Amino acid sequence: MSSKPEQKETQQANGAVLPIVPMDCLTSPDRGQLVEPSDFLGSDGDGLEVVVLESRANAKGVREEDALLENGSQSNESDDTSTDRGPEPASPLKETSFSIGLQVLFPFLLAGFGTVAAGMVLDVVQHWDVFKYVTEVFILVPALLGLKGNLEMTLASRLSTAANIGQMDTPKELWRMITGNMALIQVQATVVGFLASIAAVIFGWIPDGHFSIDHAVLLCASSVATAFIASLVLGMIMIGVIIGSRKMGINPDNVATPIAASLGDLITLALLSGISWGLYKELESKAYVNPLVCAFFIALLPIWIIVAKKNAATREVLYSGWEPVIIAMAISSVGGLILDRTVSDPNFAGMAVFTPVINGVGGNLVAVQASRISTYLHMSGMPGESSETAPRKCPSPCSTFFSSDVNSRSARVLFLLVVPGHLVFLYTISSMQGGHTTLTLIFIVFYMTAALLQVLILLYIADWMVHWMWGRDLDPDNFSIPYLTALGDLIGTGLLALSFHVLWLIGDRDSDVGD
């Protein structure tokens, strides 16, 4: 049995000042049975004080867990240092439906007005010469808007998770996350922008059988320059939003992804229109400008690759994160082909103003849900770990939308935002006299049906996809959102085009669909 002086020497030898606690603390119900009394008690055993050697790593884990809990949702037992957490991990997202809706509403409306502005821009620029004579630019619209969504929303989800689990608390960690992620999205934007231009050339050539090398280089230069500049600007905005939301005590998962899209569609579409128009004007007199623009941005690739490769937080994504963004680009390009075929018909010119709105709203809502589910899973373990919070089987619609789970609650809140949000956006478009369509009752019914069906499908796919990727050792922050936003573009564009065709077939002349 050690005496008190010997205990103090032990404390100093371990290099830390450790607490001296009474014996009855060792067997309190909230701490569990840490030691056996027989190891310390002598024959008298009364009033003896012992040293509890608490694990530094475990104490750090407790502090990190406390940092995860948002808006006063901390558990009353957050000071529990026991490593035995039981089979049911505590959820850090103990938010009410009202708090979720309140935090999501403002950025959702802000993002929606951004898509409305993008739709107004597209409605105007579709009559420019570059869009008339190089119609493949229309194919680039959903591809580049989707690429912006894929990269910026994935960045927002990745940084939101990092902020929630305490990986951006110190200036050194924050700087490392910023530099690595910014370099990563520049690499992805340049490569995928180049591939998007190739897809646009192929999809434009297949139906018509016409190919122009000048137009192909124009598409390449416009796509790469737009993707690079838009990702640079939006990435910086995204980092500022996440840092600011953490300082204000707001869950970044609720606000980061919608704000990423608030100016994203407008900035990306404005850049694409302006750059393609400028390069189109240079074709006649300075044909060498387009190849030089392509070469300049591609020549910067090695620099961004080196920076991203040196950062441990982005090295894995640099190697393994290409499949989702490339496949998502291809999916969005199919949506762009539908848009190109539809708006090229004068009967459906009014579809241009509504396409960014329906696609942007659906992508924003499903990105919020995917980011929330991913953060929820990260707090219960690591990707690939078996957990009751990560079921491997396909969920039922009832469990996705009608259970008492916090993710089901957020799905209901996000779904209920669709109708009032779109009504506000449609009224804004109508009041600004955008598009070539009068908002009749039958048009609003068809439009809302398409929007509700789109979001319903996306939220269900998100619930399945995020858990499925988690069970297969894939980080949903890096892999799920590109697929989901691309599917949102394809489903939204397809359903909207179908609605316009049906309205035209049934002769809804009051809505002036063909005006």
Side-chain angles (χ1 to χ4, degrees), residues 481-493:
I481 290 180
Y483 291 117
L484 292 171
T485 54
L487 288 174
D489 292 341
L490 178 59
I491 296 172
T493 305

Side-chain angles (χ1 to χ4, degrees), residues 83-102:
T83 56
D84 185 8
R85 299 185 181 272
E88 191 72 24
S91 170
L93 302 175
K94 296 178 181 178
E95 299 163 296
T96 64
S97 299
F98 178 77
S99 66
I100 295 173
L102 190 63

Side-chain angles (χ1 to χ4, degrees), residues 35-92:
V35 295
E36 292 293 335
S38 59
D39 294 339
F40 295 95
L41 292 179
S43 58
D44 49 355
D46 292 331
L48 181 63
E49 294 180 339
V50 297
V51 177
V52 179
L53 298 178
E54 186 176 37
S55 169
R56 292 183 182 180
N58 195 42
K60 180 182 178 183
V62 172
R63 290 193 297 270
E64 289 179 350
E65 179 182 275
D66 290 343
L68 298 178
L69 306 178
E70 293 291 333
N71 300 327
S73 63
Q74 287 92 336
S75 169
N76 290 331
E77 298 178 358
S78 60
D79 57 343
D80 183 7
T81 57
S82 173
T83 56
D84 185 8
R85 299 185 181 272
E88 191 72 24
S91 170

Side-chain angles (χ1 to χ4, degrees), residues 140-154 185 187-196 223-224 226-228 230-231 234 265 268 322 325-326 328-329 332 482 485-486 489:
L140 284 178
V141 171
L144 289 182
L145 296 187
L147 172 65
K148 176 274 308 172
N150 295 340
L151 297 184
E152 309 312 319
M153 291 182 181
T154 300
I185 64 172
V187 174
Q188 292 177 324
T190 304
V191 174
V192 180
F194 177 76
L195 295 178
S223 180
V224 172
T226 300
F228 182 92
S231 294
L234 295 171
D265 287 341
T268 304
W322 292 101
V325 293
I326 292 176
M329 178 273 300
S332 295
T485 54
D489 292 341

Side-chain angles (χ1 to χ4, degrees), residues 99-111:
S99 66
I100 295 173
L102 190 63
Q103 292 187 19
V104 172
L105 180 61
F106 175 74
F108 167 71
L109 292 176
L110 182 63

Side-chain angles (χ1 to χ4, degrees), residues 1-284:
M1 182 179 65
S2 301
S3 64
K4 290 183 180 180
E6 290 173 344
Q7 293 168 14
K8 294 180 180 179
E9 291 175 1
T10 303
Q11 296 173 28
Q12 296 172 356
N14 284 318
V17 179
L18 302 175
I20 300 178
V21 299
M23 187 59 217
D24 54 2
C25 292
L26 298 178
T27 57
S28 60
D30 59 336
R31 300 183 69 90
Q33 187 73 20
L34 300 182
V35 295
E36 292 293 335
S38 59
D39 294 339
F40 295 95
L41 292 179
S43 58
D44 49 355
D46 292 331
L48 181 63
E49 294 180 339
V50 297
V51 177
V52 179
L53 298 178
E54 186 176 37
S55 169
R56 292 183 182 180
N58 195 42
K60 180 182 178 183
V62 172
R63 290 193 297 270
E64 289 179 350
E65 179 182 275
D66 290 343
L68 298 178
L69 306 178
E70 293 291 333
N71 300 327
S73 63
Q74 287 92 336
S75 169
N76 290 331
E77 298 178 358
S78 60
D79 57 343
D80 183 7
T81 57
S82 173
T83 56
D84 185 8
R85 299 185 181 272
E88 191 72 24
S91 170
L93 302 175
K94 296 178 181 178
E95 299 163 296
T96 64
S97 299
F98 178 77
S99 66
I100 295 173
L102 190 63
Q103 292 187 19
V104 172
L105 180 61
F106 175 74
F108 167 71
L109 292 176
L110 182 63
F113 286 124
T115 61
V116 169
M120 299 293 293
V121 170
L122 183 60
D123 186 49
V124 172
V125 302
Q126 67 174 324
H127 305 294
W128 290 6
D129 288 344
V130 64
F131 283 85
K132 286 182 178 179
Y133 301 113
V134 190
T135 59
E136 293 86 356
V137 179
F138 279 113
I139 302 178
L140 284 178
V141 171
L144 289 182
L145 296 187
L147 172 65
K148 176 274 308 172
N150 295 340
L151 297 184
E152 309 312 319
M153 291 182 181
T154 300
L155 173 65
S157 180
R158 191 162 56 236
L159 292 182
S160 295
T161 298
N164 278 333
I165 63 178
Q167 293 182 354
M168 297 174 60
D169 292 342
T170 65
K172 183 178 180 181
E173 292 176 334
L174 179 62
W175 177 250
R176 184 173 65 248
M177 292 295 294
I178 290 175
T179 55
N181 280 280
M182 287 298 295
L184 174 65
I185 64 172
Q186 296 312 312
V187 174
Q188 292 177 324
T190 304
V191 174
V192 180
F194 177 76
L195 295 178
S197 65
I198 295 177
V201 171
I202 294 175
F203 284 142
W205 168 70
I206 291 177
D208 301 331
H210 175 70
F211 176 79
S212 171
I213 185 64
D214 290 336
H215 289 179
V217 177
L218 168 66
L219 290 172
C220 177
S222 302
S223 180
V224 172
T226 300
F228 182 92
I229 298 174
S231 294
L232 179 64
V233 174
L234 295 171
M236 296 174 65
I237 295 175
M238 211 59 269
I239 292 171
V241 167
I242 292 175
I243 296 175
S245 64
R246 287 291 294 171
K247 291 184 177 180
M248 296 174 62
I250 298 175
N251 187 351
D253 287 312
N254 292 336
V255 299
T257 49
I259 292 180
S262 60
L263 297 176
D265 287 341
L266 178 60
I267 291 175
T268 304
L269 189 55
L271 284 171
L272 175 62
S273 304
I275 292 173
S276 60
W277 176 81
L279 294 177
Y280 181 75
K281 292 296 184 182
E282 298 294 334
L283 272 180
E284 297 181 0

Side-chain angles (χ1 to χ4, degrees), residues 250-382:
I250 298 175
N251 187 351
D253 287 312
N254 292 336
V255 299
T257 49
I259 292 180
S262 60
L263 297 176
D265 287 341
L266 178 60
I267 291 175
T268 304
L269 189 55
L271 284 171
L272 175 62
S273 304
I275 292 173
S276 60
W277 176 81
L279 294 177
Y280 181 75
K281 292 296 184 182
E282 298 294 334
L283 272 180
E284 297 181 0
S285 58
K286 301 177 182 178
Y288 60 86
V289 172
N290 290 335
L292 282 180
V293 172
C294 289
F296 172 75
F297 287 104
I298 293 176
L300 294 176
L301 268 178
I303 300 176
W304 309 126
I305 292 175
I306 293 173
V307 175
K309 189 176 180 181
K310 288 184 176 180
N311 194 303
T314 56
R315 186 182 304 119
E316 180 182 355
V317 183
L318 181 65
Y319 292 133
S320 62
W322 292 101
E323 178 182 342
V325 293
I326 292 176
I327 294 178
M329 178 273 300
I331 296 173
S332 295
S333 296
V334 176
L337 180 60
I338 297 174
L339 177 64
D340 181 27
R341 298 291 99 182
T342 304
V343 299
S344 297
D345 188 336
N347 291 322
F348 309 113
M351 178 179 165
V353 71
F354 300 105
T355 302
V357 178
I358 193 170
N359 291 349
V361 169
N364 296 342
L365 293 176
V366 75
V368 170
Q369 181 70 351
S371 181
R372 289 178 59 88
I373 298 175
S374 179
T375 298
Y376 179 79
L377 293 174
H378 272 91
M379 292 179 178
S380 66
M382 297 296 293

